[in-house]
Structures are given as structure tokens and as C-alpha cells.
């Protein structure tokens, strides 16, 4: 994890001009996700906010990758079905096993 500091821009007067309050944070494994915070007057507040947002974005990325894997598996299971689009609409993403369309459980 990397954190850079810089002088903030905008209103704040003399305090803003003498303090490095702006923060840029990113993770080595995810260089495309860069979070910048400049809203607080304190560097520690900006660092905390940036790291929290970075963790949230990484968690969202992991969740979307997991959902893509589940959807791919679901499509592979339903590839033998005649009307896949109807099946996908009938079985929205949810936790637990899905029942392929066209089969009845007795």
C-alpha cells in the first residue's frame, strides 16, 4: 500500500498553504484504483478516509469478480436449455444453488 502527500488546493488560507494535507493512496496489486482526498484540514483524516475508500473499492472489485464467476457457472449449467434468456430472468443471482429451467423436482 502506498500513500503520497502533497499540498492541498482550494480555500483555507495560510494553514492550507503550509501543510501537506492532500493524500493519494493506492495498492501495489491494484494500480488502477487510486484514491485522492483533499477535503479535510488534517492529513490524518484524509489518510483515514482514503484508506477506507480504497478498502471499499477493492472489496467491490473482489465481489464483482466472484459474481462474474458465479454467472459464468450458471450459464454453463443452462447451456443445454432451449430458452436460456427466460431461465436467466427466472433465476436472478442469489446465494445458494439455482435450479436450471425445464427440470422439475419431484
Amino acid at each position: 500500500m502506498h500513500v503520497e502527500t502533497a499540498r492541498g488546493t482550494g480555500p483555507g488560507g495560510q494553514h492550507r498553504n503550509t501543510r501537506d494535507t492532500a493524500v493519494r493512496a493506492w495498492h501495489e496489486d491494484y494500480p488502477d484504483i487510486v484514491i485522492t482526498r483533499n477535503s479535510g484540514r488534517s492529513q490524518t483524516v484524509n489518510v483515514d478516509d482514503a484508506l477506507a475508500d480504497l478498502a471499499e473499492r477493492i472489496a467491490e472489485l473482489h465481489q464483482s469478480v466472484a459474481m462474474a464467476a458465479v454467472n459464468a457457472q450458471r450459464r454453463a449449467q443452462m447451456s443445454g436449455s432451449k430458452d436460456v434468456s427466460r431461465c436467466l430472468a427466472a433465476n436472478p443471482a442469489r446465494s445458494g444453488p439455482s435450479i436450471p429451467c425445464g427440470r422439475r423436482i419431484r
Side-chain angles (χ1 to χ4, degrees), residues 19-38:
R19 304 283 186 246
D20 290 343
T21 56
V23 173
R24 182 181 302 138
W26 71 94
H27 196 280
E28 293 175 351
D29 297 336
Y30 307 99
D32 294 340
I33 302 174
V34 178
I35 306 295
T36 304
R37 285 291 170 266
N38 189 20

Side-chain angles (χ1 to χ4, degrees), residues 35-56:
I35 306 295
T36 304
R37 285 291 170 266
N38 189 20
S39 57
R41 286 189 59 170
S42 169
Q43 187 183 68
T44 56
V45 170
N46 287 336
V47 168
D48 292 343
D49 289 347
L51 293 180
D53 285 350
L54 183 63
E56 183 179 336

Side-chain angles (χ1 to χ4, degrees), residues 57-75:
R57 292 243 185 117
I58 290 173
E60 288 174 2
L61 178 67
H62 283 285
Q63 184 178 9
S64 67
V65 168
M67 286 301 295
V70 168
N71 289 337
Q73 183 181 17
R74 184 172 289 147
R75 282 190 174 83

